[in-house]
Amino acid sequence: MQSRDQPVLRDIVLIGGGHSHVGVLKSFGMRPVPGVRLTVICRESRTPYSGMLPGYVAGHYGFDEVHIDLRRLAQFAGARFYRDDAIGLDRGARKVLCANRPPVSYDLLSINIGSTPRMDNVVGAAEFAVPVKPISTFNDRWLELRERIGRRAGATRIAVVGGGAGGVELALAMQYRLRNELSKAGRNPDDLVVHLLSAEPDILPTHNARVRKAFSRVLAERGITVHRGSEVTEVAPGRLRVADGSTLDADDVVWVTRASGAPWLRGTGLALDDSGFIRVTETLQTVTDANVFAAGDVASMVGRPLEKAGVFAVRQARPLAGNLRRAVQRQPLAAYRPQKRWLALISTGDKYAVASRGALGFQGRWVWRWKDWIDRRFMAGYADLPAMPAAPHAQPPTIQLGEDEAAQAISAIAMRCGGCGAKVGASVLSRALGGLRPIERDDVLIGLHAPDDAAVVRVPHGKAVVHSVDFFRAFIDDPYVFGKVAANHALGDIFAMGAEAQSAAAIVTMPPGLDAKVEDDLRQMMSGAIEVLNEADCALIGGHTGEGRELALGFAVNGLVDEDLAQVMRKGGMRAGDVLVLTKPIGTGTLFAAHARQLARGAWIDAALETMCQSNRLAARCVFAHGATACTDLTGFGLLGHLVEMTRPSKVDAELDLAALPVLDGAEESSAAGVLSSLQPANVRLRRAIRNQAQVERHPRYPLVFDPQTAGGLLASVPADRAAACVAALRALGYAQASAIGRVLPQSDALAPIVLNAG
Ligand SMILES: Cc1cc2nc3c(=O)[nH]c(=O)nc-3n(C[C@H](O)[C@H](O)[C@H](O)COP(=O)(O)OP(=O)(O)OC[C@H]3O[C@@H](n4cnc5c(N)ncnc54)[C@H](O)[C@@H]3O)c2cc1C
């Protein structure tokens, strides 16, 4: 893991979380290069292991067993994880262009994005066939296919197009699974008819005759009709056409033919082969650009074409990691020499497999067990990561720096030791913020568009200003998403009051480092923040950026309400008989504590970040429209703390139904494991406010009422007769887990105002 005291000197960016990059991440996690930071850009946080995919389709493995948790692996490696789609490169500026965030800068780049189905050359294929590639999104298509087949009454004909190892394995695995499912549903498994079509004269053209014979036998025994020399030329609903003019009826067509490189690679200027894959040398550097590497299916080695198989992508991890290490330290690179013969273990779906290596071929149930053992061992290497080593002290960098860079690096380290804060250089600031476009508002008289010592804003006639400030340090390593969450969190107070946001001033702490790196992080973070502020109609009018040990961001925010305060929702406005409505799920505190300790699943963090990026603006309008008389946004004090802040001034008691609380996925597991936010103990002191504490303290959701929230939802007190409509309206607005979670009670004589219902 990279030391936090070490300024970042070089950025290696990995596009795609394929089989090679997972190995690179693990390698850098075990043995980091001082001063080198890794960033992974991947469209999903769980990446499939292709070797077990047919076993998953056949039903022998669960989803988690065949996916590597990339977010967790990145955390182990001290790498930043950006969940996004790369859509292009600006190689001149060394930036990766992404679908949903500002460009990401790199010093070295590696691409391991697999392949894309080639369907554009067959009429109707893109519209009517189910592509297996990209395998990362195959699961959704497979689940839909199963559902479709389950719903269809009577016979179902499936055509698998592609007679390579992928097609053969998939046809057998699908047949095995679907027959089982039909039987379980009390239907006749023979209702399922499977065809396999190969454009080549035989199936498995890259394997030896013995292996081909073995599979021909298995396919015949299993009743799968093989159409050899049958190139599909057209796909239409319910039917496909073959080159010889014949047609075949098929309710579903699964496409497993040769794939090509992603279309966006064509715009990168990198040399590509005829199938659109990136040409690389034996060092895995692209032939066009020594700073760009490629591995796995997407790479096409000049003079040594390799089978598009996960086994090569896996094997390339080690040479790729080695060469990235060497390249970043300006050392000579080593050649990767792929093996001439390689072992393929191809399964038949029913826990039987055939081994193929050069001219050798053998088969049996034991071959499947052997394959299963190899695959499980591979996956265990990514599931059971070694305990995260303590962050080492700053190591002397082994990176060669220019004179100017060296001076910046030394000053960055000196700054850390002195522990002093200083302003970030003006030129870094203006470059980082120059391209950002905060919205302009008529009531901002002097703002960032004509910067001065301070901003000047007008309070429109009949309005009053609502003012709030929030600030916290980064809890994730993605500055863009952090910027979004921080802005959302700060705006939460304004919306909870029933106000509309008007203007915001930012306060930023940046860890010192090379100017280019500081500039880049600042741009990413402020881009995220400005997106959220702009969307809220809130003008960024100024700010201050200082240096500090950790990245942190906060905002002083102004909102506007009518002067008569008629629309203001105060904490003290609760009325006995009201229903408590919560607009978002809780659990961010425990989840990010687990994330910091590599104990959280990537999918949990994805879902939590999604809710944290969701604005409370519409929710506030909605609860107000449904008669809410009191409202607050959930932040650091947790649900209980904020509820008590409301019951006290309202002079009421309240009861919460623990079973009704909306809870983020994983939050119960991680709090049950004792993984709690560092703020939790301070919040737990408020347990004296719970009247029936002894009866509920063992409830699995009990710790979550103390869990501190970041960018949490709104807690509102809504008249009972409008609560159900309010929850329905919130859900329709996209607050999918909005719920009624309890009731407001008349104030009792009891000292503790809150009752928790465990039922
Ligand atoms: C049914 C089937 C069975 C197979 N079985 C085997 C087998 O048993 N053994 C074997 O060796 N091979 C097998 N293969 C082949 C194997 O799937 C591929 O060769 C292998 O997946 C290639 O690995 P990769 O690392 O290059 O890319 P992939 O595994 O495809 O990974 C690419 C990654 O990049 C991400 N990504 C893609 N585009 C972008 C983008 N623009 N921005 C950000 N991220 C992006 C994806 O989300 C994914 O995480 C099989 C193929 C099929 C279809």
Side-chain angles (χ1 to χ4, degrees), residues 343 345 355 362 366-375:
L343 176 70
L345 299 173
F362 41 92
W366 69 271
V367 180
W368 191 85
R369 283 196 297 274
W370 181 34
K371 173 176 164 55
D372 176 61
W373 179 79
I374 293 172
D375 288 339

Side-chain angles (χ1 to χ4, degrees), residues 15-20 41-44 47-48 50-51 53-54 70 84-87 112-115 132-133 135-136 166 169-170 256 264 295-298 308-313 342 345 371:
I15 305 181
H19 298 64
S20 315
I41 303 171
C42 191
R43 60 165 68 117
E44 72 275 311
T47 197
S50 61
L53 210 64
L70 212 49
D84 212 326
D85 245 286
I87 53 167
N112 176 211
I113 56 170
S115 42
V132 171
K133 300 271 182 167
I135 59 164
S136 49
E169 243 187 327
L170 199 66
V256 206
W264 66 267
D297 276 10
V298 79
K308 299 292 180 204
V311 66
F312 285 108
W342 53 283
L345 299 173
K371 173 176 164 55

Side-chain angles (χ1 to χ4, degrees), residues 463-474:
K463 295 281 179 186
V465 174
V466 180
H467 193 73
S468 171
V469 66
D470 253 310
F471 179 77
F472 57 90
R473 55 181 221 267

Side-chain angles (χ1 to χ4, degrees), residues 247-416:
T247 59
L248 180 73
D249 291 338
D251 301 300
D252 278 292
V253 177
V254 181
W255 208 255
V256 206
T257 61
R258 270 213 118 202
S260 56
W264 66 267
L265 294 174
R266 287 199 281 271
T268 60
L270 295 170
L272 308 179
D273 71 8
D274 293 343
S275 300
F277 295 116
I278 306 170
R279 288 185 185 281
V280 298
T281 67
E282 57 184 8
T283 57
L284 298 174
Q285 284 166 301
T286 61
V287 296
T288 320
D289 186 338
N291 293 316
V292 181
F293 292 69
D297 276 10
V298 79
S300 167
M301 258 182 103
V302 174
R304 180 77 172 86
L306 298 174
E307 177 109 9
K308 299 292 180 204
V311 66
F312 285 108
V314 169
R315 287 287 166 93
Q316 285 166 8
R318 187 192 276 247
L320 177 64
N323 277 347
L324 287 170
R325 241 176 241 291
R326 292 180 195 102
V328 79
Q329 295 173 95
R330 302 239 186 104
Q331 293 164 356
L333 306 198
Y336 158 61
R337 307 236 184 269
Q339 70 253 55
K340 289 217 172 63
R341 280 192 215 95
W342 53 283
L343 176 70
L345 299 173
I346 311 169
S347 55
T348 60
D350 52 356
K351 297 198 173 181
Y352 186 95
V354 179
S356 164
R357 187 169 195 273
L360 288 177
F362 41 92
Q363 55 191 289
R365 300 225 164 264
W366 69 271
V367 180
W368 191 85
R369 283 196 297 274
W370 181 34
K371 173 176 164 55
D372 176 61
W373 179 79
I374 293 172
D375 288 339
R376 284 186 190 273
R377 199 178 55 153
F378 175 82
M379 289 302 280
Y382 291 96
D384 312 328
L385 294 166
M388 196 151 72
H393 291 300
Q395 305 274 320
T398 46
I399 308 291
Q400 291 175 32
L401 299 172
E403 219 171 276
D404 192 30
E405 283 184 325
Q408 291 172 29
I410 289 165
S411 108
I413 293 170
M415 193 72 72
R416 284 284 169 84

